[in-house]
């Protein structure tokens, strides 16, 4: 498991996110469903978006390299099914790695491997 720098006291920590893999073209992480639910007991759609944007942004930062920053400029998500227990795992896969932008598709699955959410993120590379 990787440690994401600067995550103390952030949403990353509050959601109990775990970073499992990180490279410029791919990032994998997970969150527990418990503690990240809506009142009906299902994984909150916003939690899926936070996981997706975090994974894509971390991969984009790895792509940007030292002395540069990556910031999200567009995110979208389609929620396919609910999750009530266990973990959901997100895999961010690069669609475009350019000089000024990086785009990722993030697929979030439940413990059974069923797709919970599909998200897309574009980051701007600064610096």
């Amino acid at each position: 498991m990787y440690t994401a720098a600067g995550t103390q006291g952030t949403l990353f920590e509050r959601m109990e996110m775990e970073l499992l893999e990180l490279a410029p073209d791919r990032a994998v992480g997970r969150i527990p469903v418990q503690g990240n639910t809506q009142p009906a007991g299902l994984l909150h759609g916003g939690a899926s978006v936070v996981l997706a944007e975090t994974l894509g942004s971390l991969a984009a930062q790895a792509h940007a390299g030292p002395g540069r920053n990556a910031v999200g400029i567009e995110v979208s998500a389609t929620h396919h099914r609910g999750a009530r227990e266990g973990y959901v795992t997100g895999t961010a896969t690069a669609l475009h790695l350019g000089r000024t932008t990086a785009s990722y598709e993030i697929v979030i699955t439940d413990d059974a491997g069923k797709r919970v959410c599909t998200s897309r993120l574009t980051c701007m590379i600064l610096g």
Side-chain angles (χ1 to χ4, degrees):
M1 182 168 53
Y2 293 79
T3 302
T7 59
Q8 186 174 5
T10 67
L11 197 52
F12 184 99
E13 182 179 67
R14 286 187 180 103
M15 291 182 65
E16 299 183 37
M17 199 174 297
E18 298 174 27
L19 183 61
L20 305 173
E21 183 181 328
L22 179 60
D25 63 340
R26 179 179 157 93
V28 180
R30 70 183 195 157
I31 58 171
V33 172
Q34 184 177 5
N36 292 308
T37 59
Q38 46 145 286
L42 294 168
L43 178 69
H44 195 291
S48 294
V49 176
V50 168
L51 177 60
E53 186 162 2
T54 300
L55 293 173
S57 293
L58 289 170
Q61 184 62 51
H63 168 64
R68 300 179 79 199
N69 290 307
V71 295
I73 59 172
E74 186 274 335
V75 64
S76 64
T78 300
H79 304 288
H80 306 290
R81 70 174 43 216
R84 291 189 177 276
E85 61 187 14
Y87 284 82
V88 290
T89 300
T91 302
T93 304
L95 299 172
H96 168 77
L97 296 176
R99 187 178 57 79
T100 59
T101 62
S103 296
Y104 296 84
E105 177 184 62
I106 304 96
V107 174
I108 299 173
T109 58
D110 63 16
D111 285 335
K114 293 182 179 178
R115 191 178 292 224
V116 172
C117 177
T118 302
S119 184
R120 186 172 168 161
L121 173 72
T122 298
C123 291
M124 181 183 298
I125 308 297
L126 305 172

